[in-house]
PDB file of all heavy atoms in Angstrom:
ATOM      1  N   TRP A   1      -4.417  -1.126   8.901  1.00 97.00           N
ATOM      2  CA  TRP A   1      -4.441  -2.446   9.565  1.00 97.00           C
ATOM      3  C   TRP A   1      -3.094  -2.728  10.119  1.00 97.00           C
ATOM      4  O   TRP A   1      -2.078  -2.650   9.421  1.00 97.00           O
ATOM      5  CB  TRP A   1      -4.850  -3.543   8.469  1.00 97.00           C
ATOM      6  CG  TRP A   1      -6.304  -3.506   8.234  1.00 97.00           C
ATOM      7  CD1 TRP A   1      -6.943  -3.030   7.143  1.00 97.00           C
ATOM      8  CD2 TRP A   1      -7.324  -4.027   9.123  1.00 97.00           C
ATOM      9  NE1 TRP A   1      -8.322  -3.182   7.314  1.00 97.00           N
ATOM     10  CE2 TRP A   1      -8.550  -3.774   8.509  1.00 97.00           C
ATOM     11  CE3 TRP A   1      -7.277  -4.577  10.388  1.00 97.00           C
ATOM     12  CZ2 TRP A   1      -9.754  -4.171   9.118  1.00 97.00           C
ATOM     13  CZ3 TRP A   1      -8.456  -4.946  10.999  1.00 97.00           C
ATOM     14  CH2 TRP A   1      -9.692  -4.707  10.324  1.00 97.00           C
ATOM     15  N   VAL A   2      -3.088  -3.049  11.383  1.00 97.00           N
ATOM     16  CA  VAL A   2      -1.852  -3.359  12.140  1.00 97.00           C
ATOM     17  C   VAL A   2      -2.023  -4.654  12.947  1.00 97.00           C
ATOM     18  O   VAL A   2      -3.173  -5.048  13.296  1.00 97.00           O
ATOM     19  CB  VAL A   2      -1.399  -2.230  13.026  1.00 97.00           C
ATOM     20  CG1 VAL A   2      -1.083  -0.974  12.204  1.00 97.00           C
ATOM     21  CG2 VAL A   2      -2.452  -1.931  14.097  1.00 97.00           C
ATOM     22  N   HIS A   3      -0.887  -5.261  13.280  1.00 97.00           N
ATOM     23  CA  HIS A   3      -0.902  -6.381  14.193  1.00 97.00           C
ATOM     24  C   HIS A   3      -1.106  -5.844  15.631  1.00 97.00           C
ATOM     25  O   HIS A   3      -0.362  -4.869  16.009  1.00 97.00           O
ATOM     26  CB  HIS A   3       0.404  -7.165  14.070  1.00 97.00           C
ATOM     27  CG  HIS A   3       0.559  -7.840  12.772  1.00 97.00           C
ATOM     28  ND1 HIS A   3      -0.047  -9.085  12.500  1.00 97.00           N
ATOM     29  CD2 HIS A   3       1.145  -7.467  11.611  1.00 97.00           C
ATOM     30  CE1 HIS A   3       0.245  -9.404  11.274  1.00 97.00           C
ATOM     31  NE2 HIS A   3       0.962  -8.450  10.651  1.00 97.00           N
ATOM     32  N   THR A   4      -2.012  -6.446  16.378  1.00 97.00           N
ATOM     33  CA  THR A   4      -2.349  -5.932  17.717  1.00 97.00           C
ATOM     34  C   THR A   4      -1.148  -5.857  18.643  1.00 97.00           C
ATOM     35  O   THR A   4      -0.917  -4.898  19.314  1.00 97.00           O
ATOM     36  CB  THR A   4      -3.440  -6.793  18.335  1.00 97.00           C
ATOM     37  OG1 THR A   4      -4.542  -6.819  17.426  1.00 97.00           O
ATOM     38  CG2 THR A   4      -3.904  -6.227  19.653  1.00 97.00           C
ATOM     39  N   GLU A   5      -0.323  -6.934  18.613  1.00 96.00           N
ATOM     40  CA  GLU A   5       0.824  -7.016  19.576  1.00 96.00           C
ATOM     41  C   GLU A   5       1.948  -6.056  19.217  1.00 96.00           C
ATOM     42  O   GLU A   5       2.493  -5.410  20.130  1.00 96.00           O
ATOM     43  CB  GLU A   5       1.349  -8.425  19.624  1.00 96.00           C
ATOM     44  CG  GLU A   5       0.513  -9.350  20.432  1.00 96.00           C
ATOM     45  CD  GLU A   5       1.164 -10.767  20.591  1.00 96.00           C
ATOM     46  OE1 GLU A   5       2.433 -10.798  20.558  1.00 96.00           O
ATOM     47  OE2 GLU A   5       0.409 -11.728  20.772  1.00 96.00           O
ATOM     48  N   THR A   6       2.274  -5.970  17.974  1.00 95.00           N
ATOM     49  CA  THR A   6       3.469  -5.247  17.585  1.00 95.00           C
ATOM     50  C   THR A   6       3.187  -3.810  17.093  1.00 95.00           C
ATOM     51  O   THR A   6       4.019  -2.932  17.128  1.00 95.00           O
ATOM     52  CB  THR A   6       4.265  -5.978  16.493  1.00 95.00           C
ATOM     53  OG1 THR A   6       3.385  -6.036  15.324  1.00 95.00           O
ATOM     54  CG2 THR A   6       4.674  -7.354  16.917  1.00 95.00           C
ATOM     55  N   GLY A   7       1.965  -3.598  16.523  1.00 93.00           N
ATOM     56  CA  GLY A   7       1.620  -2.320  15.889  1.00 93.00           C
ATOM     57  C   GLY A   7       2.175  -2.196  14.459  1.00 93.00           C
ATOM     58  O   GLY A   7       2.011  -1.233  13.822  1.00 93.00           O
ATOM     59  N   TYR A   8       2.886  -3.284  14.043  1.00 94.00           N
ATOM     60  CA  TYR A   8       3.414  -3.291  12.673  1.00 94.00           C
ATOM     61  C   TYR A   8       2.263  -3.403  11.633  1.00 94.00           C
ATOM     62  O   TYR A   8       1.265  -4.031  11.885  1.00 94.00           O
ATOM     63  CB  TYR A   8       4.413  -4.473  12.439  1.00 94.00           C
ATOM     64  CG  TYR A   8       5.667  -4.377  13.242  1.00 94.00           C
ATOM     65  CD1 TYR A   8       6.367  -5.506  13.482  1.00 94.00           C
ATOM     66  CD2 TYR A   8       6.165  -3.151  13.677  1.00 94.00           C
ATOM     67  CE1 TYR A   8       7.610  -5.415  14.180  1.00 94.00           C
ATOM     68  CE2 TYR A   8       7.354  -3.038  14.413  1.00 94.00           C
ATOM     69  CZ  TYR A   8       8.033  -4.206  14.639  1.00 94.00           C
ATOM     70  OH  TYR A   8       9.229  -4.103  15.348  1.00 94.00           O
ATOM     71  N   ARG A   9       2.487  -2.887  10.477  1.00 94.00           N
ATOM     72  CA  ARG A   9       1.446  -2.960   9.418  1.00 94.00           C
ATOM     73  C   ARG A   9       1.163  -4.380   9.045  1.00 94.00           C
ATOM     74  O   ARG A   9       2.037  -5.197   8.924  1.00 94.00           O
ATOM     75  CB  ARG A   9       1.905  -2.135   8.205  1.00 94.00           C
ATOM     76  CG  ARG A   9       1.734  -0.659   8.320  1.00 94.00           C
ATOM     77  CD  ARG A   9       1.963   0.060   7.019  1.00 94.00           C
ATOM     78  NE  ARG A   9       3.359  -0.051   6.553  1.00 94.00           N
ATOM     79  CZ  ARG A   9       4.298   0.732   6.928  1.00 94.00           C
ATOM     80  NH1 ARG A   9       4.076   1.638   7.802  1.00 94.00           N
ATOM     81  NH2 ARG A   9       5.497   0.604   6.475  1.00 94.00           N
ATOM     82  N   ARG A  10      -0.060  -4.621   8.778  1.00 96.00           N
ATOM     83  CA  ARG A  10      -0.537  -5.915   8.251  1.00 96.00           C
ATOM     84  C   ARG A  10      -0.049  -6.149   6.808  1.00 96.00           C
ATOM     85  O   ARG A  10       0.483  -7.220   6.468  1.00 96.00           O
ATOM     86  CB  ARG A  10      -2.097  -5.968   8.307  1.00 96.00           C
ATOM     87  CG  ARG A  10      -2.651  -7.169   7.652  1.00 96.00           C
ATOM     88  CD  ARG A  10      -4.191  -7.065   7.601  1.00 96.00           C
ATOM     89  NE  ARG A  10      -4.806  -8.298   7.079  1.00 96.00           N
ATOM     90  CZ  ARG A  10      -6.103  -8.381   6.963  1.00 96.00           C
ATOM     91  NH1 ARG A  10      -6.917  -7.352   7.283  1.00 96.00           N
ATOM     92  NH2 ARG A  10      -6.621  -9.523   6.518  1.00 96.00           N
ATOM     93  N   PHE A  11      -0.157  -5.141   6.011  1.00 93.00           N
ATOM     94  CA  PHE A  11       0.125  -5.243   4.584  1.00 93.00           C
ATOM     95  C   PHE A  11       1.531  -4.670   4.309  1.00 93.00           C
ATOM     96  O   PHE A  11       1.784  -3.507   4.597  1.00 93.00           O
ATOM     97  CB  PHE A  11      -0.855  -4.570   3.700  1.00 93.00           C
ATOM     98  CG  PHE A  11      -2.271  -5.141   3.884  1.00 93.00           C
ATOM     99  CD1 PHE A  11      -3.275  -4.432   4.513  1.00 93.00           C
ATOM    100  CD2 PHE A  11      -2.566  -6.417   3.384  1.00 93.00           C
ATOM    101  CE1 PHE A  11      -4.525  -4.976   4.702  1.00 93.00           C
ATOM    102  CE2 PHE A  11      -3.812  -6.938   3.548  1.00 93.00           C
ATOM    103  CZ  PHE A  11      -4.803  -6.272   4.211  1.00 93.00           C
ATOM    104  N   ARG A  12       2.369  -5.491   3.789  1.00 89.00           N
ATOM    105  CA  ARG A  12       3.712  -5.068   3.378  1.00 89.00           C
ATOM    106  C   ARG A  12       3.918  -4.920   1.900  1.00 89.00           C
ATOM    107  O   ARG A  12       4.850  -4.384   1.402  1.00 89.00           O
ATOM    108  CB  ARG A  12       4.744  -6.080   3.979  1.00 89.00           C
ATOM    109  CG  ARG A  12       4.704  -6.085   5.499  1.00 89.00           C
ATOM    110  CD  ARG A  12       5.567  -7.205   5.993  1.00 89.00           C
ATOM    111  NE  ARG A  12       6.842  -7.174   5.358  1.00 89.00           N
ATOM    112  CZ  ARG A  12       8.068  -7.067   6.005  1.00 89.00           C
ATOM    113  NH1 ARG A  12       8.049  -6.972   7.292  1.00 89.00           N
ATOM    114  NH2 ARG A  12       9.143  -7.050   5.329  1.00 89.00           N
ATOM    115  N   THR A  13       2.942  -5.487   1.128  1.00 88.00           N
ATOM    116  CA  THR A  13       3.055  -5.463  -0.348  1.00 88.00           C
ATOM    117  C   THR A  13       1.661  -5.133  -0.863  1.00 88.00           C
ATOM    118  O   THR A  13       0.677  -5.627  -0.352  1.00 88.00           O
ATOM    119  CB  THR A  13       3.446  -6.861  -0.864  1.00 88.00           C
ATOM    120  OG1 THR A  13       4.757  -7.172  -0.292  1.00 88.00           O
ATOM    121  CG2 THR A  13       3.602  -6.826  -2.423  1.00 88.00           C
ATOM    122  N   ALA A  14       1.615  -4.354  -1.938  1.00 86.00           N
ATOM    123  CA  ALA A  14       0.341  -4.112  -2.614  1.00 86.00           C
ATOM    124  C   ALA A  14       0.637  -4.052  -4.121  1.00 86.00           C
ATOM    125  O   ALA A  14       1.658  -3.570  -4.587  1.00 86.00           O
ATOM    126  CB  ALA A  14      -0.220  -2.736  -2.154  1.00 86.00           C
ATOM    127  N   ILE A  15      -0.262  -4.664  -4.849  1.00 85.00           N
ATOM    128  CA  ILE A  15      -0.209  -4.633  -6.321  1.00 85.00           C
ATOM    129  C   ILE A  15      -1.311  -3.739  -6.791  1.00 85.00           C
ATOM    130  O   ILE A  15      -2.478  -3.963  -6.500  1.00 85.00           O
ATOM    131  CB  ILE A  15      -0.302  -6.050  -6.898  1.00 85.00           C
ATOM    132  CG1 ILE A  15       0.842  -6.885  -6.474  1.00 85.00           C
ATOM    133  CG2 ILE A  15      -0.389  -5.928  -8.429  1.00 85.00           C
ATOM    134  CD1 ILE A  15       0.679  -8.391  -6.803  1.00 85.00           C
ATOM    135  N   VAL A  16      -0.902  -2.598  -7.462  1.00 84.00           N
ATOM    136  CA  VAL A  16      -1.883  -1.636  -7.901  1.00 84.00           C
ATOM    137  C   VAL A  16      -1.883  -1.600  -9.433  1.00 84.00           C
ATOM    138  O   VAL A  16      -0.805  -1.250  -9.985  1.00 84.00           O
ATOM    139  CB  VAL A  16      -1.584  -0.204  -7.332  1.00 84.00           C
ATOM    140  CG1 VAL A  16      -2.565   0.784  -7.771  1.00 84.00           C
ATOM    141  CG2 VAL A  16      -1.508  -0.298  -5.775  1.00 84.00           C
ATOM    142  N   GLU A  17      -2.939  -2.004 -10.070  1.00 84.00           N
ATOM    143  CA  GLU A  17      -3.002  -2.026 -11.490  1.00 84.00           C
ATOM    144  C   GLU A  17      -4.109  -1.075 -11.985  1.00 84.00           C
ATOM    145  O   GLU A  17      -5.250  -1.268 -11.602  1.00 84.00           O
ATOM    146  CB  GLU A  17      -3.283  -3.415 -12.009  1.00 84.00           C
ATOM    147  CG  GLU A  17      -2.187  -4.464 -11.725  1.00 84.00           C
ATOM    148  CD  GLU A  17      -2.512  -5.811 -12.347  1.00 84.00           C
ATOM    149  OE1 GLU A  17      -3.230  -5.894 -13.313  1.00 84.00           O
ATOM    150  OE2 GLU A  17      -2.013  -6.765 -11.758  1.00 84.00           O
ATOM    151  N   LEU A  18      -3.751  -0.079 -12.689  1.00 81.00           N
ATOM    152  CA  LEU A  18      -4.690   0.895 -13.247  1.00 81.00           C
ATOM    153  C   LEU A  18      -4.209   1.300 -14.636  1.00 81.00           C
ATOM    154  O   LEU A  18      -3.023   1.164 -14.953  1.00 81.00           O
ATOM    155  CB  LEU A  18      -4.758   2.150 -12.411  1.00 81.00           C
ATOM    156  CG  LEU A  18      -5.454   2.050 -11.063  1.00 81.00           C
ATOM    157  CD1 LEU A  18      -5.137   3.265 -10.267  1.00 81.00           C
ATOM    158  CD2 LEU A  18      -6.930   1.995 -11.295  1.00 81.00           C
ATOM    159  N   ALA A  19      -5.126   1.811 -15.434  1.00 81.00           N
ATOM    160  CA  ALA A  19      -4.744   2.343 -16.738  1.00 81.00           C
ATOM    161  C   ALA A  19      -3.900   3.517 -16.606  1.00 81.00           C
ATOM    162  O   ALA A  19      -3.833   4.204 -15.492  1.00 81.00           O
ATOM    163  CB  ALA A  19      -6.045   2.683 -17.537  1.00 81.00           C
ATOM    164  N   ARG A  20      -3.209   3.925 -17.570  1.00 82.00           N
ATOM    165  CA  ARG A  20      -2.366   5.157 -17.598  1.00 82.00           C
ATOM    166  C   ARG A  20      -3.146   6.390 -17.210  1.00 82.00           C
ATOM    167  O   ARG A  20      -4.393   6.416 -17.452  1.00 82.00           O
ATOM    168  CB  ARG A  20      -1.774   5.360 -19.004  1.00 82.00           C
ATOM    169  CG  ARG A  20      -0.814   4.242 -19.420  1.00 82.00           C
ATOM    170  CD  ARG A  20      -0.237   4.571 -20.729  1.00 82.00           C
ATOM    171  NE  ARG A  20       0.726   5.734 -20.539  1.00 82.00           N
ATOM    172  CZ  ARG A  20       0.712   6.774 -21.362  1.00 82.00           C
ATOM    173  NH1 ARG A  20      -0.019   6.843 -22.428  1.00 82.00           N
ATOM    174  NH2 ARG A  20       1.533   7.813 -21.118  1.00 82.00           N
ATOM    175  N   LYS A  21      -2.471   7.345 -16.633  1.00 78.00           N
ATOM    176  CA  LYS A  21      -3.075   8.651 -16.295  1.00 78.00           C
ATOM    177  C   LYS A  21      -4.135   8.605 -15.224  1.00 78.00           C
ATOM    178  O   LYS A  21      -5.070   9.403 -15.225  1.00 78.00           O
ATOM    179  CB  LYS A  21      -3.636   9.311 -17.581  1.00 78.00           C
ATOM    180  CG  LYS A  21      -2.613   9.552 -18.695  1.00 78.00           C
ATOM    181  CD  LYS A  21      -1.547  10.537 -18.213  1.00 78.00           C
ATOM    182  CE  LYS A  21      -0.533  10.844 -19.285  1.00 78.00           C
ATOM    183  NZ  LYS A  21       0.516  11.714 -18.801  1.00 78.00           N
ATOM    184  N   ASN A  22      -4.036   7.647 -14.297  1.00 77.00           N
ATOM    185  CA  ASN A  22      -4.956   7.609 -13.168  1.00 77.00           C
ATOM    186  C   ASN A  22      -4.267   7.941 -11.858  1.00 77.00           C
ATOM    187  O   ASN A  22      -4.930   7.823 -10.833  1.00 77.00           O
ATOM    188  CB  ASN A  22      -5.562   6.194 -13.134  1.00 77.00           C
ATOM    189  CG  ASN A  22      -6.754   6.053 -14.025  1.00 77.00           C
ATOM    190  OD1 ASN A  22      -7.783   6.710 -13.738  1.00 77.00           O
ATOM    191  ND2 ASN A  22      -6.653   5.196 -15.004  1.00 77.00           N
ATOM    192  N   GLY A  23      -3.060   8.403 -11.867  1.00 78.00           N
ATOM    193  CA  GLY A  23      -2.454   8.906 -10.663  1.00 78.00           C
ATOM    194  C   GLY A  23      -1.697   7.884  -9.851  1.00 78.00           C
ATOM    195  O   GLY A  23      -1.359   8.089  -8.680  1.00 78.00           O
ATOM    196  N   LYS A  24      -1.303   6.770 -10.459  1.00 84.00           N
ATOM    197  CA  LYS A  24      -0.557   5.730  -9.746  1.00 84.00           C
ATOM    198  C   LYS A  24       0.855   6.241  -9.357  1.00 84.00           C
ATOM    199  O   LYS A  24       1.229   6.103  -8.164  1.00 84.00           O
ATOM    200  CB  LYS A  24      -0.354   4.453 -10.617  1.00 84.00           C
ATOM    201  CG  LYS A  24      -1.585   3.693 -10.941  1.00 84.00           C
ATOM    202  CD  LYS A  24      -1.194   2.453 -11.780  1.00 84.00           C
ATOM    203  CE  LYS A  24      -0.437   2.684 -12.998  1.00 84.00           C
ATOM    204  NZ  LYS A  24      -1.194   3.343 -14.079  1.00 84.00           N
ATOM    205  N   SER A  25       1.582   6.816 -10.264  1.00 86.00           N
ATOM    206  CA  SER A  25       2.945   7.240  -9.983  1.00 86.00           C
ATOM    207  C   SER A  25       2.933   8.386  -9.002  1.00 86.00           C
ATOM    208  O   SER A  25       3.835   8.406  -8.088  1.00 86.00           O
ATOM    209  CB  SER A  25       3.679   7.617 -11.291  1.00 86.00           C
ATOM    210  OG  SER A  25       3.792   6.581 -12.128  1.00 86.00           O
ATOM    211  N   THR A  26       2.045   9.315  -9.103  1.00 89.00           N
ATOM    212  CA  THR A  26       2.029  10.414  -8.232  1.00 89.00           C
ATOM    213  C   THR A  26       1.682   9.955  -6.772  1.00 89.00           C
ATOM    214  O   THR A  26       2.275  10.369  -5.798  1.00 89.00           O
ATOM    215  CB  THR A  26       0.928  11.488  -8.735  1.00 89.00           C
ATOM    216  OG1 THR A  26       1.219  11.758 -10.040  1.00 89.00           O
ATOM    217  CG2 THR A  26       1.059  12.752  -7.876  1.00 89.00           C
ATOM    218  N   TRP A  27       0.692   9.052  -6.644  1.00 92.00           N
ATOM    219  CA  TRP A  27       0.308   8.447  -5.383  1.00 92.00           C
ATOM    220  C   TRP A  27       1.487   7.678  -4.804  1.00 92.00           C
ATOM    221  O   TRP A  27       1.807   7.855  -3.610  1.00 92.00           O
ATOM    222  CB  TRP A  27      -0.911   7.614  -5.568  1.00 92.00           C
ATOM    223  CG  TRP A  27      -1.275   6.805  -4.309  1.00 92.00           C
ATOM    224  CD1 TRP A  27      -1.911   7.257  -3.237  1.00 92.00           C
ATOM    225  CD2 TRP A  27      -0.966   5.428  -4.031  1.00 92.00           C
ATOM    226  NE1 TRP A  27      -2.063   6.291  -2.296  1.00 92.00           N
ATOM    227  CE2 TRP A  27      -1.507   5.132  -2.814  1.00 92.00           C
ATOM    228  CE3 TRP A  27      -0.375   4.439  -4.822  1.00 92.00           C
ATOM    229  CZ2 TRP A  27      -1.378   3.851  -2.266  1.00 92.00           C
ATOM    230  CZ3 TRP A  27      -0.226   3.165  -4.183  1.00 92.00           C
ATOM    231  CH2 TRP A  27      -0.789   2.920  -2.944  1.00 92.00           C
ATOM    232  N   ALA A  28       2.142   6.869  -5.596  1.00 92.00           N
ATOM    233  CA  ALA A  28       3.276   6.074  -5.199  1.00 92.00           C
ATOM    234  C   ALA A  28       4.449   6.999  -4.663  1.00 92.00           C
ATOM    235  O   ALA A  28       5.126   6.705  -3.680  1.00 92.00           O
ATOM    236  CB  ALA A  28       3.782   5.148  -6.229  1.00 92.00           C
ATOM    237  N   ALA A  29       4.647   8.091  -5.345  1.00 93.00           N
ATOM    238  CA  ALA A  29       5.684   9.073  -4.976  1.00 93.00           C
ATOM    239  C   ALA A  29       5.374   9.610  -3.559  1.00 93.00           C
ATOM    240  O   ALA A  29       6.244   9.764  -2.713  1.00 93.00           O
ATOM    241  CB  ALA A  29       5.813  10.166  -5.962  1.00 93.00           C
ATOM    242  N   GLY A  30       4.107   9.970  -3.338  1.00 94.00           N
ATOM    243  CA  GLY A  30       3.687  10.479  -2.060  1.00 94.00           C
ATOM    244  C   GLY A  30       3.825   9.415  -0.969  1.00 94.00           C
ATOM    245  O   GLY A  30       4.339   9.723   0.155  1.00 94.00           O
ATOM    246  N   ILE A  31       3.471   8.201  -1.249  1.00 95.00           N
ATOM    247  CA  ILE A  31       3.657   7.071  -0.276  1.00 95.00           C
ATOM    248  C   ILE A  31       5.142   6.872   0.080  1.00 95.00           C
ATOM    249  O   ILE A  31       5.520   6.696   1.201  1.00 95.00           O
ATOM    250  CB  ILE A  31       3.047   5.769  -0.787  1.00 95.00           C
ATOM    251  CG1 ILE A  31       1.509   5.879  -0.898  1.00 95.00           C
ATOM    252  CG2 ILE A  31       3.459   4.613   0.047  1.00 95.00           C
ATOM    253  CD1 ILE A  31       0.787   6.069   0.397  1.00 95.00           C
ATOM    254  N   ALA A  32       5.949   6.945  -0.981  1.00 94.00           N
ATOM    255  CA  ALA A  32       7.421   6.756  -0.753  1.00 94.00           C
ATOM    256  C   ALA A  32       7.986   7.862   0.105  1.00 94.00           C
ATOM    257  O   ALA A  32       8.787   7.602   1.002  1.00 94.00           O
ATOM    258  CB  ALA A  32       8.176   6.750  -2.126  1.00 94.00           C
TER     259      ALA A  32
END
């Protein structure tokens, strides 16, 4: 999702809540 005029991302913040051992940290490392 991006803004039509600028192409900048719509979402700048996400809150991800999951139980342990579901791959949050590994996914976050890849995103970073």
Side-chain angles (χ1 to χ4, degrees):
W1 283 105
V2 297
H3 293 275
T4 304
E5 283 187 27
T6 63
Y8 293 158
R9 281 190 294 277
R10 172 187 187 180
F11 299 109
R12 297 174 46 122
T13 303
I15 297 172
V16 181
E17 294 183 27
L18 285 167
R20 294 184 68 226
K21 300 293 181 186
N22 275 295
K24 294 182 303 290
S25 295
T26 309
W27 173 78
I31 293 294

